């Protein structure tokens, strides 16, 4: 595989001009002072550790393609990519980010990448963040240096977002988002210690007679866990972020005081509404006590969306 040509190569004429200037200065004055050390040149490349190895990338990339979750991570730190895979769930953007995303060239959808479109935007860096769906990393690397950050659990996305921010020189912006999130966590913990003793669970469904029971390591669950919140027995596991259950086994939610259910734009999916309207769901203690709550940005994959989820949970705690 041919390595990409390093960007920002210094023109030969510039080198020659600098050499002539240096010789001219040496011939003047006859000073016995030792020659001053030449000024150091800023590096044009650097090495970033990613799932696909130690990758040499431009020190200051200007045209970046974001694939899968990487687009959200880039927008979080103020970087608008020149190309992106289709913006849809599970990648959830804030309204401001949606506006910025509307102008980005679409280079594919899901795990289907149009390599010709990627090449057409002439990127100097490509970033892929997501589960191992057989991404064409080698082919992408032939277009521009490519960083791949594999995701095996929702919590991996936060760590990957930090690495992405560092790779594009936006570590300070990421730190600001993290500090704000941590400060809000501390504030809520101090305000609602008793309410956080209630047992939480996270539920979603796509129909077909099944539902998914999220654990403390799920998208929403990790925010509750950061708050030190308690979990129902079925959601207390750390072995997986969710388990698939039959709707006939909704009784697994009986010990939950609060049920959190993901939604988008304040709306539940038809499958979720059908589950909520079922007689067996209405018999759950949390349903009887009106403690079933929809959560927007339910695919909380970075500090911006996690902070948005945190604000919604705070409102729920206020009513407990």
């Amino acid at each position: 595989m041919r390595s990409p040509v390093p960007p920002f190569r210094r023109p030969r004429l510039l080198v020659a001009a600098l050499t002539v200037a240096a010789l001219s200065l040496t011939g003047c004055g006859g000073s016995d002072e030792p020659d001053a050390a030449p000024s150091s040149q800023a590096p044009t490349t650097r090495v970033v550790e990613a799932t696909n190895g130690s990758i040499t990338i431009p020190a200051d990339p200007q045209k970046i393609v974001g694939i899968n979750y990487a687009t959200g991570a880039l927008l979080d730190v103020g970087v608008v990519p020149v190309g992106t895979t289709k913006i849809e769930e599970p990648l959830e953007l804030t309204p401001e980010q949606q506006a910025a995303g509307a102008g980005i060239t679409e280079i594919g959808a899901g795990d289907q990448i149009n390599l010709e479109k990627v090449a057409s935007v002439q990127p100097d860096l490509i970033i892929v963040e997501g589960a191992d769906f057989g991404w064409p990393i080698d082919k992408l690397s032939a277009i521009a240096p490519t960083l791949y950050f594999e995701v095996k659990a929702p919590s991996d996305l936060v760590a990957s977002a930090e690495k992405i921010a560092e790779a594009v020189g936006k570590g300070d912006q990421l730190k600001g988002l993290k500090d704000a999130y941590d400060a809000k966590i501390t504030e809520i913990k101090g305000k609602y210690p008793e309410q956080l003793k209630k047992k939480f669970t996270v539920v979603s469904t796509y129909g077909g007679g099944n539902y998914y029971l999220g654990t403390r390591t799920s998208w929403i669950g990790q925010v509750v866990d950061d708050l030190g919140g308690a979990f129902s027995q079925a959601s207390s596991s750390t072995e997986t972020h969710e388990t698939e259950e039959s709707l006939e086994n909704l009784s697994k939610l009986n010990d939950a005081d609060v049920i959190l259910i993901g939604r988008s734009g304040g709306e539940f999916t038809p499958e979720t509404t059908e589950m909520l309207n079922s007689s067996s769901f209405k018999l759950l203690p949390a349903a009887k006590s009106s403690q079933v709550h929809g959560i927007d940005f339910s695919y909380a994959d970075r500090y911006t969306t996690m902070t948005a989820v945190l604000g919604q949970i705070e409102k729920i705690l206020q009513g407990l």
Side-chain angles (χ1 to χ4, degrees):
M1 179 178 64
R2 186 177 63 184
S3 299
V5 177
F8 315 124
R9 181 171 289 167
R10 189 168 54 188
R12 293 181 179 179
L13 288 177
L14 177 58
V15 175
L18 292 174
T19 302
V20 170
L23 289 173
S24 298
L25 290 173
T26 303
C28 297
S31 171
D32 293 331
E33 293 293 327
D35 293 339
S39 60
S40 59
Q41 297 293 320
T44 59
T45 63
R46 54 200 176 96
V47 176
V48 173
E49 299 298 326
T51 304
N52 57 322
S54 301
I55 309 300
T56 300
I57 70 169
D60 184 23
Q62 298 297 309
K63 299 176 70 176
I64 305 169
V65 165
I67 294 177
N68 208 239
Y69 292 101
T71 294
L74 290 167
L75 291 171
D76 252 25
V77 293
V79 175
V80 180
V82 295
T84 180
T85 43
K86 187 175 179 63
I87 295 174
E88 59 185 355
E89 290 186 357
L91 175 60
E92 294 183 291
L93 304 182
T94 65
E96 296 79 11
Q97 291 173 344
Q98 284 280 4
I104 303 173
T105 299
E106 190 174 297
I107 51 84
D111 59 352
Q112 301 301 307
I113 309 301
N114 186 319
L115 296 172
E116 290 184 358
K117 284 189 176 181
V118 174
S120 72
V121 297
Q122 300 180 326
D124 53 15
L125 179 63
I126 300 169
I127 304 178
V128 183
E129 182 188 19
D132 184 4
F133 292 138
W135 305 101
I137 301 301
D138 288 347
K139 293 179 180 178
L140 290 169
S141 297
I143 298 171
T146 300
L147 299 173
Y148 170 45
F149 297 101
E150 184 180 2
V151 174
K152 295 181 179 179
S155 57
D156 292 341
L157 286 157
V158 180
S160 294
E162 293 181 358
K163 294 175 182 176
I164 290 170
E166 291 292 341
V168 298
K170 299 293 184 179
D172 289 343
Q173 287 84 339
L174 189 286
K175 184 178 184 302
L177 295 173
K178 181 180 186 300
D179 289 347
Y181 176 78
D182 290 342
K184 191 65 177 176
I185 287 286
T186 300
E187 177 189 342
I188 294 175
K189 276 184 174 181
K191 282 185 178 180
Y192 308 102
E194 292 304 313
Q195 291 89 334
L196 286 167
K197 293 178 182 177
K198 299 286 187 179
K199 294 179 180 178
F200 288 78
T201 192
V202 183
V203 176
S204 61
T205 182
Y206 304 99
N210 297 317
Y211 72 98
Y212 290 87
L213 201 159
T215 70
R216 64 172 64 243
T217 62
S218 66
W219 312 93
I220 299 173
Q222 64 184 332
V223 179
V224 178
D225 194 46
D226 286 344
L227 283 168
F231 286 84
S232 66
Q233 183 176 353
S235 287
S236 61
S237 171
T238 58
E239 294 180 1
T240 181
H241 67 281
E242 64 181 17
T243 59
E244 186 174 8
E245 308 286 346
S246 169
L247 284 170
E248 295 178 356
N249 294 329
L250 282 171
S251 58
K252 285 196 171 186
L253 308 177
N254 277 335
D255 65 332
D257 299 306
V258 182
I259 297 176
L260 305 178
I261 301 180
R263 64 186 179 190
S264 180
E267 299 290 336
F268 288 120
T269 63
E271 294 84 0
T272 299
T273 300
E274 183 179 356
M275 179 184 70
L276 296 175
N277 290 333
S278 67
S279 57
S280 53
F281 192 93
K282 289 180 178 179
L283 290 174
L284 294 172
K288 287 182 176 181
S289 60
S290 299
Q291 291 302 329
V292 178
H293 302 278
I295 299 290
D296 288 329
F297 302 109
S298 53
Y299 292 100
D301 62 312
R302 57 199 193 277
Y303 286 113
T304 293
T305 49
M306 289 172 68
T307 300
V309 170
L310 187 57
Q312 295 171 81
I313 292 175
E314 182 179 18
K315 290 181 180 179
I316 293 168
L317 292 172
Q318 291 170 355
L320 290 178

